[in-house]
Amino acid sequence: MKKIVSKKVLVPIIAIAFLFVGSSYKSDFFEIAKQIEIFTTLFKELNMNYVDETNPAELMDTAIKNMLEELDPYTKFLNEQDVETYRINNAGEYSGIGAMVRSFDDKLLIIEPHQGYPADKAGLKAGDEIVQIGDIKVADFEDNASELLKGANGSTINVSYKRQGKLNTTSITREGIEVDAVPFFKMIDNKTGYIVLAKFNAKATEQTKSALLDLKGKGAEKIILDLRGNPGGLLSEAINVTNLFVPKGELVVTTKSKVKKFNREYHTNNQAVDEEIPLVVLVNGSSASASEIVSGSLQDLDRAVIMGARSFGKGLVQRPLKLTYGTQLKVTISRYYTSSGRCIQSLDYWNRDESGNAVRNTTFNDFTTRNGRKVQDGGGILPDIEVATSKTNDLTLALLQNNIIFDYATNYHYTHTYNNVGDFKFTDADFNAFKNYVKKSNFSFETKAEQAIKKALSGDENDFLGSDVKDSYKTLLANIEKGKINAIDKYQSEIQKNLEDEIVKRYFYRDGLYQYYLNNDDAILAATELLSNNSKYSAILK
């Protein structure tokens, strides 16, 4: 295991340097100034004397990104465009087409059009591939072409897109887009309310409180708060959402840093909306950061039962620091600790393995909740009750990351018809069809065992093994490949849930997916059952 040493170069470091106080600042200042002078001289001489024309902006951008990659993935240089995107994400409002889009070199892939917004009105659907915006071909555009979709309210753009291999055109009139923190809430039965909190933008507390009060007004005596897939956001909103369920003055989270002014304790400042209502919080492997502050602190305070799967494990806090020319450095300034004192950061970015990957924590320390229950640090929030279908695994992740599940859902949508969400049923025959689709696709998923075997076989130094041994290795690799397809059956419940989620959205949008959850999602059904059993619920917390 090798220790990663950060490189102290480039202009953004100046912004960090002025944060340091006392002896740390004095001892580092000369070394920082020295390295900046070296780099400035190098940068000048390179651009003045290199044999071909250089692009100073691109060289600097590359240098900055390479330097920051030595640290953690959350410390980033934000150019002016990035700063605006960062602001939009936190504010929850922007002007555009109202769709989730993924950028590729030659196309923009529509991941999810939002119901009733411009992309949806123009007829775009998930799976459509935008290849041209106005007169600009996406393949010819050097920057992120998704920025071309943004613009002033009322402005119109023409786009060309491919759907199932056929080229189409449409016109989209941009609108103001509001990104709800709480996209859905509803009564599950006459006593149980369900709230989806999808992100911690500036609207999170206000909308969660409004949903809670609305449900209580409809007779809710128990609440399920769904944080699955919530990547986090504003720290202040995490504290205030927690405050809806715990009284004023409770410690929610502590941040610890080498910079003294970033060492803080965050307490609740307001009266709770309801300190007693039974509460279940749902999390999964995509619940991160602010989601973990809320779920972890409610667990530490014995205020809620946590259900689902282990959360992501992001215990690092970032802050944007202003640089020159409208740019910023989003830098990790501290670690946060839940109210019991545990840090749930799962990856150690400052120690890497031989492949340069961050080392995952495998040693956990024990802490206790207010009532004396054991909880642990170092690996996300472990639920009090785990739900199998909420978990994930390397195979499912690979199917998602390679768009296999997404692409299958696209094809499924154009070969099946449903009029309402209650009619949808994903059968065993459908799952077998998915397995055949995977076999015929170019899906590539390499296990750690395969990587080790291929490494062992590579290089001239292994020629002494002989052909028989090498043939045995090749047979083993072939068997592993077959085993990966068989593993689809082993993980059917997890894979099928992701398939159902993706398919339902194609017909009934995000709102329809949440409607589907109320009657079909294992975690919600388990949470509803738990909340109907007061003695079991209380026993878990005590």
Side-chain angles (χ1 to χ4, degrees):
M1 191 180 295
K2 61 180 180 179
K3 187 75 176 178
I4 297 299
V5 180
S6 62
K7 301 180 181 71
K8 299 175 181 176
V9 293
L10 304 183
V11 176
I13 292 298
I14 297 175
I16 302 175
F18 284 114
L19 295 173
F20 296 2
V21 293
S23 60
S24 174
Y25 173 78
K26 292 176 183 176
S27 62
D28 285 350
F29 181 78
F30 173 75
E31 185 64 22
I32 291 172
K34 173 184 172 182
Q35 296 299 332
I36 289 173
E37 185 177 353
I38 291 172
F39 180 80
T40 302
T41 307
L42 179 150
F43 192 69
K44 175 184 174 183
E45 296 297 336
L46 175 66
N47 284 282
M48 290 179 65
N49 297 296
Y50 189 70
V51 62
D52 292 322
E53 286 296 319
T54 60
N55 186 320
E58 287 186 1
L59 282 175
M60 180 62 78
D61 189 64
T62 300
I64 292 173
K65 288 178 179 177
N66 285 339
M67 175 184 70
L68 297 182
E69 281 180 2
E70 294 284 305
L71 303 175
D72 63 76
Y74 313 111
T75 297
K76 294 182 178 180
F77 171 68
L78 306 178
N79 59 32
E80 293 173 276
Q81 181 177 299
D82 296 330
V83 170
E84 178 62 13
T85 301
Y86 186 75
R87 184 197 66 78
I88 288 170
N89 288 339
N90 287 335
E93 297 178 359
Y94 69 99
S95 179
I97 69 168
M100 189 181 300
V101 177
R102 186 173 299 157
S103 181
F104 294 86
D105 289 340
D106 59 344
K107 65 187 177 183
L108 294 176
L109 181 65
I110 300 293
I111 300 298
E112 182 183 351
H114 302 310
Q115 187 173 13
Y117 279 115
D120 183 38
K121 292 177 182 177
L124 290 179
K125 298 181 181 296
D128 289 347
E129 302 173 357
I130 296 177
V131 295
Q132 185 166 327
I133 303 170
D135 296 329
I136 301 174
K137 292 183 178 180
V138 174
D140 296 337
F141 195 73
E142 292 185 0
D143 296 323
N144 186 346
S146 65
E147 294 299 317
L148 298 173
L149 298 175
K150 298 175 183 177
N153 288 359
S155 59
T156 299
I157 49 171
N158 296 315
V159 300
S160 298
Y161 65 95
K162 288 182 180 179
R163 175 184 294 170
Q164 300 286 284
K166 181 182 178 182
L167 187 65
N168 304 277
T169 59
T170 189
S171 179
I172 309 176
T173 301
R174 301 181 182 97
E175 296 177 10
I177 311 298
E178 292 192 13
V179 182
D180 286 329
V182 176
F184 185 87
F185 64 93
K186 192 171 184 178
M187 294 293 290
I188 296 176
D189 54 37
N190 59 359
K191 291 186 177 180
T192 310
Y194 172 65
I195 302 172
V196 178
L197 178 52
K199 55 189 75 227
F200 284 89
N201 60 23
K203 301 177 181 180
T205 304
E206 174 192 348
Q207 292 188 350
T208 305
K209 180 179 180 179
S210 178
L212 178 59
L213 291 172
D214 184 280
L215 294 171
K216 283 169 63 69
K218 292 176 180 175
E221 298 176 4
K222 306 151 190 177
I223 293 292
I224 298 172
L225 179 64
D226 196 341
L227 298 180
R228 290 176 298 176
N230 186 323
L234 299 173
L235 174 61
S236 58
E237 292 298 308
I239 295 160
N240 291 333
V241 167
T242 304
N243 196 177
L244 298 176
F245 302 100
V246 301
K248 182 178 181 179
E250 289 283 5
L251 175 65
V252 175
V253 65
T254 301
T255 58
K256 297 181 181 180
S257 169
K258 71 176 184 181
V259 182
K260 189 174 181 180
K261 70 176 181 178
F262 294 144
N263 293 332
R264 290 191 58 185
E265 291 186 347
Y266 294 87
H267 295 78
T268 52
N269 294 317
N270 305 305
Q271 299 300 319
V273 171
D274 195 322
E275 299 176 26
E276 302 295 334
I277 192 167
L279 177 65
V280 169
V281 177
L282 305 180
V283 297
N284 64 8
S286 298
S287 305
S289 192
S291 294
E292 295 173 299
I293 292 175
V294 172
S295 56
S297 292
L298 289 173
Q299 186 180 50
D300 287 351
L301 296 169
D302 296 301
R303 180 59 188 87
V305 172
I306 313 302
M307 295 183 68
R310 187 187 288 274
S311 63
F312 181 81
K314 180 179 179 292
L316 302 175
V317 183
Q318 286 74 46
R319 172 172 290 190
L321 304 176
K322 291 183 179 180
L323 306 176
T324 56
Y325 298 102
T327 62
Q328 293 184 6
L329 174 67
K330 184 165 73 75
V331 60
T332 297
I333 59 169
S334 58
R335 292 178 175 84
Y336 69 69
Y337 298 77
T338 63
S339 53
S340 69
R342 54 182 170 146
C343 179
I344 44 77
Q345 176 65 26
S346 62
L347 292 174
D348 182 359
Y349 295 106
W350 296 272
N351 287 284
R352 310 265 179 162
D353 61 21
E354 291 181 355
S355 300
N357 299 314
V359 176
R360 183 172 293 278
N361 292 326
T362 55
T363 302
F364 306 125
N365 299 305
D366 293 340
F367 293 80
T368 55
T369 68
R370 177 165 287 175
N371 290 339
R373 297 186 298 139
K374 187 178 83 169
V375 290
Q376 292 184 318
D377 67 357
I381 302 300
L382 182 66
D384 301 304
I385 298 176
E386 294 189 87
V387 179
T389 51
S390 294
K391 297 179 181 179
T392 190
N393 51 74
D394 289 343
L395 175 58
T396 306
L397 285 174
L399 290 168
L400 289 168
Q401 291 167 356
N402 286 275
N403 275 4
I404 301 299
I405 287 175
F406 181 89
D407 291 341
Y408 180 80
T410 300
N411 293 337
Y412 185 99
H413 174 247
Y414 290 111
T415 56
H416 296 72
T417 302
Y418 297 100
N419 295 319
N420 62 72
V421 71
D423 294 336
F424 173 73
K425 179 68 176 177
F426 196 80
T427 65
D428 287 340
D430 290 328
F431 192 76
N432 286 329
F434 171 73
K435 287 198 297 182
N436 289 329
Y437 179 83
V438 175
K439 290 177 184 178
K440 295 176 182 177
S441 72
N442 58 356
F443 173 60
S444 178
F445 167 55
E446 193 168 68
T447 66
K448 292 180 180 178
E450 283 178 294
Q451 293 171 4
I453 292 171
K454 288 178 179 178
K455 184 177 180 180
L457 285 172
S458 64
D460 295 338
E461 67 274 14
N462 292 319
D463 286 344
F464 69 87
L465 291 175
S467 59
D468 290 343
V469 174
K470 288 186 176 182
D471 287 343
S472 296
Y473 271 127
K474 291 175 182 177
T475 301
L476 180 57
L477 285 171
N479 288 333
I480 290 174
E481 190 64 34
K482 292 178 183 177
K484 286 188 291 188
I485 296 297
N486 294 333
I488 293 177
D489 286 323
K490 177 181 178 181
Y491 296 115
Q492 178 174 349
S493 60
E494 296 98 315
I495 294 170
Q496 184 165 321
K497 174 174 172 47
N498 283 280
L499 281 165
E500 290 174 351
D501 288 359
E502 193 60 55
I503 291 169
V504 169
K505 284 187 295 182
R506 303 305 175 95
Y507 296 95
F508 309 109
Y509 302 92
R510 179 73 56 169
D511 191 78
L513 176 62
Y514 295 132
Q515 292 280 3
Y516 179 77
Y517 278 176
L518 298 185
N519 296 314
N520 297 279
D521 183 80
D522 289 346
I524 293 174
L525 295 175
T528 305
E529 182 180 354
L530 174 64
L531 287 169
S532 68
N533 189 333
N534 292 333
S535 59
K536 184 177 180 180
Y537 173 86
S538 299
I540 292 172
L541 296 178
K542 293 180 180 179

